[in-house]
Amino acid sequence: QVQLVESGGGLVQAGGSLRVSCAASGLTFSGYVMGWFRQAPGKERELVARISWRGRTTDYADSMKGRFTISRDNAKNIVYLQMNGLKSEDTAVYYCAAGSNWPLTRWDYWGQGTQVTVSS
């Protein structure tokens, strides 16, 4: 049974930093592209960042470039999202996902999400 469990969300002031983590189990972690998505109230889920199988290639949404960094530890089966310079518009539920193929990734598994709230 595949499980993706996010952690590290919380309340942070604008301009601050936060790192969210996603621990994966039940799958061959290094065989999956990993991604972070987010969904704000009343908005569609959007891709934040993704990282290739060995972490050599990353991809970010334009509004996150330079502020967010995705990384992975294949020995620990964890993917991270370091978020710096947080803005109120970054407030959302952040979801971890595991997928296949690059660049046209099909997302196969999803976590339950972790809430990130940025106060202005």
Side-chain angles (χ1 to χ4, degrees):
Q1 179 182 356
V2 175
Q3 283 193 312
L4 302 177
V5 180
E6 300 94 338
S7 61
L11 176 64
V12 62
Q13 288 189 335
S17 298
L18 201 63
R19 187 178 78 163
V20 291
S21 304
C22 171
S25 60
L27 77 172
T28 304
F29 185 72
S30 60
Y32 285 85
V33 174
M34 297 301 297
W36 283 98
F37 289 74
R38 72 183 186 184
Q39 187 167 20
K43 295 188 177 181
E44 293 187 353
R45 190 173 298 191
E46 62 175 343
L47 176 67
V48 173
R50 58 179 177 158
I51 187 167
S52 62
W53 304 267
R54 296 184 181 179
R56 292 176 180 173
T57 305
T58 57
D59 188 24
Y60 297 88
D62 287 344
S63 61
M64 286 68 153
K65 288 179 181 177
R67 297 192 301 126
F68 292 7
T69 302
I70 188 171
S71 61
R72 66 189 296 163
D73 186 336
N74 285 352
K76 296 182 178 179
N77 289 4
I78 297 178
V79 60
Y80 304 97
L81 183 68
Q82 176 68 43
M83 302 181 286
N84 299 327
L86 283 161
K87 307 174 182 179
S88 57
E89 51 263 43
D90 294 320
T91 295
V93 177
Y94 284 72
Y95 298 91
C96 170
S100 308
N101 301 320
W102 189 287
L104 299 179
T105 304
R106 182 192 72 233
W107 299 103
D108 301 316
Y109 304 105
W110 295 86
Q112 293 300 305
T114 186
Q115 176 71 47
V116 172
T117 302
V118 184
S119 63
S120 56

